[in-house]
Amino acid sequence: DDEEFDELMCIVGDSFHSPRVVDWELTGTCPYRCKWCWGPKHSVDMGKSMATEEFTRAMTLFAVTNLNPRFVLTGGEPMTRPDIVDIVDHSCGSVDETVLSTTGDLLIKGDRAEGVWREMARRPHASTVAVPLHAASIAINALVMPRLNDVQVDRSEVVAEVFGRAQSLGVLATLRTTVTGVQTSEDILRIPEELDARGVDLSRVRWKIYQYDPYVGPRTT
């Protein structure tokens, strides 16, 4: 509200410069256990994270103090939050671009998934879904991105289904690949071919490639 905004301005003064991109680590909970993960510790669950009202209030303060900000909703797996639809709704209504960084598994079906798609589809060209895929094969992906229950997942199938839904709604899509040393160059360079074979329109996908720095190490255990 106005009092909170005035209080913030009293604290930061005229020297305050709000960042253009804000990453919101909504939770540490995640069904995967990637050793290179730079997200929060997996113990940072709903009981230890900010409540819905705290997130939306903070988002509003960032939105009104900056021009054209981008919010990245990440974690952990943000889709594990029961209030993710409300958070996506608030983000889409507050800033110029909302990026949902998700493993994609929980965005395929269910009421929560449908609610998130509905909110992003309100402003499709200002909404992005970002999903990881680290190799063209199931086996290599399982090494780079192991699940908590050790069940192998066809990551290419998950990504293709999520991107297919995004493209049908006009929502932007970003593919994220982390180079860890486990994959060969062929494992990575075959990813576009694999997605193309599954019906993904590659001309409408942005591909971001990251390098895991072993000298810095992951932030999670």
Side-chain angles (χ1 to χ4, degrees), residues 46 48-57 81 83 87:
M46 280 292 294
K48 300 181 180 179
S49 185
M50 291 196 296
T52 311
E53 296 75 13
E54 293 174 305
F55 270 119
T56 55
R57 186 183 302 119
R81 286 190 65 112
D83 59 352
I87 292 176

Side-chain angles (χ1 to χ4, degrees), residues 4-78:
E4 289 177 327
F5 177 73
D6 291 340
E7 182 180 353
L8 175 66
M9 290 300 97
C10 288
I11 295 173
V12 300
D14 296 333
S15 62
F16 178 66
H17 296 282
S18 181
R20 292 292 302 273
V21 180
V22 182
D23 280 16
W24 300 95
E25 295 179 343
L26 302 182
T27 179
T29 303
C30 183
Y32 289 88
R33 289 296 182 268
C34 310
K35 294 181 180 179
W36 48 266
C37 179
W38 49 75
K41 292 183 178 180
H42 292 302
S43 59
V44 184
D45 55 19
M46 280 292 294
K48 300 181 180 179
S49 185
M50 291 196 296
T52 311
E53 296 75 13
E54 293 174 305
F55 270 119
T56 55
R57 186 183 302 119
M59 285 179 170
T60 298
L61 290 174
F62 271 107
V64 299
T65 56
N66 195 18
L67 182 64
N68 304 325
R70 175 192 301 157
F71 286 166
V72 180
L73 310 180
T74 182
E77 172 50 71

Side-chain angles (χ1 to χ4, degrees), residues 107 113-121 129 162 165-166 169 171:
L107 200 52
E114 291 303 317
V116 168
W117 285 120
R118 180 181 65 249
E119 298 307 329
M120 289 195 295
V129 58
V162 171
R165 181 68 181 276
L169 297 172
V171 173

